[in-house]
Amino acid sequence: MIINIKKQRQFYIENHGDFEFRYSIVKVSNKGLIGQKPNNKQRGSTREGESGRTSSQLMLGPPGTRGRGQRSDSLSNVPSTTRRQEIVGGNVRAQFGMFYLYPASGTISSNSQQTVTVECLAENPGRCEEVLAIDVSDRAPSEPPVYYKLSGEVVIPGFVTQDVNTIFEEHLIVANSDVLSLSQGPNYKPEKADVGVYMIEENKFLFSYVVVGQKACARYKILNSRMVPCDISCVVRQPQTKQMSKSSSHGSDVFEISPSRTTIQPYSYVYCTVNFTPSAIQNYNAIVEINAEGLHQSIPLKDRNLTFDIQGEGTLPSISIMKPVTCTKKNQPVIQFSRLLLGQSQSKPLVIENTGNIPTRILVEMHAPDTSFTLYAPDETLDMITEGVVEKPASAYGYFLPGLTPIRRPVTLELHSKEKVTFEVVCRSIHISKLNAEIKIIVEDNRFEDSTILVVGEGYEDDITLDNVRGSSKQGTEFVEDNILESVTADIGAVHLNFGDCAINELHQMTFTLTNHSSTDPYRFSWGPQPNITFVPNTGHLHPRCSKDIIAEFKAGDPVSFQNQAIPCKVVKITFPQPLAQVADWDDRMKIIRWISKKPRKSLGSTADEERVASPSKVTKKDSKADKEKKAAEKV
């Protein structure tokens, strides 16, 4: 039975005899019946008494309750030798320990019955047993009374409130927030099943990051380990502290608990579910209270109340385009390829990072008018693709890159927090024109993070090209095209030399290649004079199918700034009077060296040795030949 809760049972006494009799219910002690009144008619053995006993028969129900019994122990605070009686509605009401019985005495007519009601109400937990006797008037002294035993156990209802391993069995449990931060670490990858974590010292349940507008559900196990049912009520309320009022102003709207009321059967359990649906990107705080209903305030709080804090944060998935770094003035990322001769190709990386704090699903798709641009996925990227069809390398339109797989259909990837994914974008020059395409990146659950990457290039056919621009400054920094383009397609043919920030009177160099793609015609190039910038070589020849490395040097004695400074290079086609195979390469770095003969002084006692390094006549002849070649090369 539940403490302070009244429970009622009934039994009946039937008279199957021919005469009425009077009964009385008394308590049995070691000394006999307690509360029995003396009856002179029962002291002697008369025919009238014997006739009454034989003509009046007692029947007690329900079945199986008759018989002799021994008195049991009762509650220590209830006297075992006293009986309280009071008149209720004309019936005698008697108290035996924690049991109240009425009518405790009365008269039963022939062939009729009397219903006796027993109520049990206790204010203290424990077990109580009372042995009662039903004494019938005019019974034979040799026939004992009918014994009836009342037994009951009073239990305080409640549920488990201290065992956190049982209550939060579906969640991660840590000692405190410091242990949580150490266990997660910078490389922590939360799973979708990780709804939240409970911190023991803070007595707080922390929801994982939840996307705004979506619902996260956390279940808590409420166990009834006692032998009586327990009625509980569940509620979410706002904290009263001023520090949390601002961040939890809408907590009642974002936290919902179910069921609000329920009954836990003995030795059973129910799950209490808290739903968290954030409406904005902010922190929310609330308090969960689960109380056992119908209990007196004197019962210890640990037996009737479970309270803990809950906290959640609304967030949205976000990504960042790490490469390319080039973008337009409208902050649109641009993959800018160099001008490519027909048949040439170039590859540039596309790197996407999940900068949010929750796993993010993205869809990547390339829109290209032809096969000039192709999106490739390395092997490690293929493992991250969850949806989409990936072609085999053999079907990639006749070309194959080791370790890369072409992506020609939309694919979906899932990125954990702070995780990166890399693609390779390849441009192939298959016709003479400006090339452009788009790569669309769609972020699930956050359309504001969708991105469109512009991919531009140009296919051309020319005899002289400038390419392979590379830096060689003292700091060893790699050249990166980080300029913001105003017009991407118009600026793509230019070669950019970015010296960066340079110290005064300090020499900085960059190298690029000048190539002659013609198979028959030689060319002469010449750089015009520029302040603070020199080219080595400044003038020279380019034979067919040959290239020459050019060094650009920058040195300034005063503070100066150059932004998109145009530096022209004059290139003209030249001819030689003799076959090209007989013409040596030339540029202004080449010098004419004259060798002269030196006659040492004659010393006494020594022979005159003459040391000649070169013949003057041959030098003169060679000089004249070089002059003729230079003059012939300058003819257009």
Side-chain angles (χ1 to χ4, degrees):
M1 290 181 52
I2 302 176
I3 192 170
N4 292 325
I5 300 297
K6 182 185 293 186
K7 192 171 184 179
Q8 189 179 88
R9 301 290 294 272
Q10 292 179 337
F11 66 91
Y12 57 89
I13 303 173
E14 293 183 353
N15 182 1
H16 293 280
D18 297 330
F19 302 96
E20 67 177 16
F21 64 80
R22 181 175 179 81
Y23 74 93
S24 177
I25 302 176
V26 294
K27 186 175 182 179
V28 177
S29 68
N30 295 332
K31 296 181 179 180
L33 303 182
I34 300 175
Q36 181 183 14
K37 296 182 179 180
N39 191 343
N40 294 328
K41 294 182 179 181
Q42 294 180 1
R43 294 180 180 180
S45 178
T46 61
R47 293 183 179 180
E48 183 179 357
E50 294 177 357
S51 174
R53 182 176 64 83
T54 56
S55 61
S56 299
Q57 297 181 3
L58 176 65
M59 188 72 177
L60 183 65
T65 60
R66 293 191 61 183
R68 301 178 182 271
Q70 299 296 329
R71 182 176 179 272
S72 309
D73 293 335
S74 61
L75 291 176
S76 59
N77 61 339
V78 179
S80 60
T81 59
T82 60
R83 180 184 70 167
R84 293 175 53 191
Q85 291 187 353
E86 56 183 354
I87 306 299
V88 179
N91 296 323
V92 178
R93 176 186 176 98
Q95 178 182 356
F96 305 98
M98 65 179 183
F99 302 102
Y100 295 87
L101 186 146
Y102 62 92
S105 61
T107 302
I108 305 177
S109 301
S110 175
N111 295 321
S112 62
Q113 68 179 18
Q114 174 67 51
T115 301
V116 180
T117 302
V118 181
E119 294 179 351
C120 182
L121 178 63
E123 298 178 355
N124 296 305
R127 184 175 181 83
C128 178
E129 290 185 354
E130 299 289 345
V131 179
L132 306 178
I134 303 176
D135 187 29
V136 179
S137 62
D138 299 327
R139 65 179 175 84
S142 60
E143 182 176 348
V146 178
Y147 294 98
Y148 202 84
K149 184 177 180 180
L150 301 179
S151 177
E153 184 174 358
V154 178
V155 179
I156 299 176
F159 56 92
V160 176
T161 61
Q162 304 298 318
D163 188 0
V164 296
N165 293 321
T166 299
I167 300 171
F168 303 97
E169 64 179 9
E170 296 185 354
H171 309 286
L172 177 66
I173 300 175
V174 297
N176 49 48
S177 57
D178 295 335
V179 177
L180 176 63
S181 58
L182 290 175
S183 63
Q184 292 183 349
N187 298 323
Y188 175 68
K189 296 181 179 180
E191 302 294 337
K192 286 189 174 180
D194 296 340
V195 178
V197 57
Y198 176 73
M199 297 173 287
I200 299 176
E201 293 183 5
E202 290 86 349
N203 190 26
K204 177 183 291 186
F205 181 83
L206 180 63
F207 276 91
S208 299
Y209 295 101
V210 181
V211 178
V212 173
Q214 294 189 1
K215 180 187 295 185
C217 300
R219 299 200 312 171
Y220 313 113
K221 186 176 182 179
I222 311 302
L223 174 64
N224 180 8
S225 60
R226 305 187 182 184
M227 62 180 66
V228 292
C230 180
D231 296 331
I232 63 171
S233 62
C234 307
V235 65
V236 174
R237 64 176 178 85
Q238 294 303 313
Q240 301 298 327
T241 58
K242 297 182 179 180
Q243 296 178 354
M244 294 185 178
S245 60
K246 183 177 180 180
S247 60
S248 305
S249 56
H250 304 287
S252 58
D253 299 331
V254 299
F255 290 110
E256 295 180 354
I257 191 168
S258 62
S260 59
R261 279 182 172 81
T262 187
T263 300
I264 312 176
Q265 298 301 320
Y267 304 110
S268 183
Y269 62 88
V270 296
Y271 280 103
C272 178
T273 304
V274 174
N275 298 324
F276 173 48
T277 310
S279 58
I281 304 177
Q282 68 176 51
N283 287 321
Y284 297 91
N285 294 275
I287 296 176
V288 173
E289 282 191 358
I290 302 175
N291 296 293
E293 292 186 326
L295 300 183
H296 195 267
Q297 296 296 325
S298 61
I299 298 176
L301 190 63
K302 65 181 182 65
D303 292 330
R304 56 185 174 87
N305 176 269
L306 171 64
T307 302
F308 58 91
D309 297 333
I310 55 175
Q311 179 178 336
E313 181 177 351
T315 186
L316 286 174
S318 61
I319 63 170
S320 177
I321 308 299
M322 307 304 294
K323 290 184 181 180
V325 296
T326 307
C327 59
T328 64
K329 286 186 175 180
K330 296 181 179 180
N331 205 28
Q332 182 180 11
V334 178
I335 299 179
Q336 179 185 355
F337 288 94
S338 304
R339 299 177 70 233
L340 300 176
L341 288 171
L342 292 181
Q344 289 186 345
S345 63
Q346 187 180 11
S347 174
K348 290 199 172 184
L350 169 61
V351 181
I352 307 170
E353 181 182 4
N354 178 9
T355 56
N357 39 34
I358 57 173
T360 302
R361 288 170 58 89
I362 62 172
L363 184 140
V364 180
E365 181 181 8
M366 170 172 270
H367 296 274
D370 52 30
T371 58
S372 299
F373 296 105
T374 307
L375 185 66
Y376 285 86
D379 294 338
E380 57 271 16
T381 302
L382 292 178
D383 298 335
M384 304 169 64
I385 296 178
T386 59
E387 296 180 9
V389 179
V390 179
E391 297 181 359
K392 296 181 179 180
S395 62
Y397 294 86
Y399 44 81
F400 170 72
L401 295 178
L404 298 176
T405 302
I407 305 296
R408 296 193 175 274
R409 292 180 177 86
V411 293
T412 302
L413 306 92
E414 183 169 346
L415 300 179
H416 294 283
S417 179
K418 312 307 178 185
E419 189 175 14
K420 297 180 181 179
V421 62
T422 301
F423 293 91
E424 289 291 333
V425 183
V426 177
C427 176
R428 285 180 172 80
S429 177
I430 58 177
H431 47 78
I432 302 175
S433 67
K434 296 185 181 299
L435 310 173
N436 61 84
E438 288 182 347
I439 299 177
K440 292 187 176 295
I441 302 175
I442 300 175
V443 181
E444 189 176 281
D445 299 324
N446 189 3
R447 60 184 182 87
F448 299 102
E449 286 290 311
D450 295 349
S451 301
T452 300
I453 302 174
L454 183 63
V455 185
V456 294
E458 182 180 358
Y460 75 103
E461 189 174 21
D462 202 352
D463 289 343
I464 305 297
T465 61
L466 284 79
D467 41 32
N468 297 331
V469 180
R470 52 195 180 274
S472 60
S473 61
K474 293 182 180 180
Q475 292 81 6
T477 56
E478 183 180 358
F479 174 74
V480 179
E481 295 182 2
D482 57 354
N483 57 300
I484 298 178
L485 304 179
E486 180 177 0
S487 178
V488 175
T489 56
D491 199 32
I492 193 172
V495 175
H496 297 270
L497 302 178
N498 186 357
F499 287 95
D501 296 330
C502 304
I504 295 176
N505 293 325
E506 185 176 336
L507 182 64
H508 292 262
Q509 294 181 340
M510 297 192 71
T511 306
F512 59 92
T513 303
L514 197 62
T515 305
N516 182 5
H517 298 278
S518 175
S519 58
T520 57
D521 299 325
Y523 283 85
R524 178 181 184 273
F525 66 89
S526 177
W527 299 91
Q530 297 292 331
N532 303 318
I533 300 178
T534 58
F535 294 90
V536 180
N538 188 74
T539 305
H541 295 167
L542 281 175
H543 285 216
R545 297 293 183 183
C546 294
S547 62
K548 192 180 293 288
D549 288 338
I550 308 296
I551 300 176
E553 297 179 343
F554 176 79
K555 184 177 181 181
D558 299 316
V560 65
S561 176
F562 292 98
Q563 183 70 26
N564 294 329
Q565 179 71 28
I567 303 177
C569 178
K570 184 178 181 181
V571 180
V572 294
K573 188 184 297 185
I574 59 176
T575 58
F576 295 101
Q578 62 269 37
L580 289 175
Q582 300 177 8
V583 179
D585 187 23
W586 174 86
D587 58 55
D588 57 3
R589 294 177 297 181
M590 298 180 179
K591 306 297 181 181
I592 299 177
I593 302 176
R594 295 181 179 274
W595 298 91
I596 60 174
S597 61
K598 180 179 180 182
K599 295 182 180 180
R601 295 181 180 180
K602 295 181 180 181
S603 59
L604 297 175
S606 63
T607 59
D609 296 333
E610 181 177 340
E611 180 182 350
R612 290 191 178 184
V613 181
S615 174
S617 60
K618 291 183 180 180
V619 173
T620 304
K621 183 178 181 180
K622 184 176 181 180
D623 291 345
S624 60
K625 183 178 180 180
D627 293 339
K628 291 180 181 180
E629 290 179 357
K630 182 177 180 181
K631 293 179 181 180
E634 294 179 353
K635 295 180 180 180
V636 180

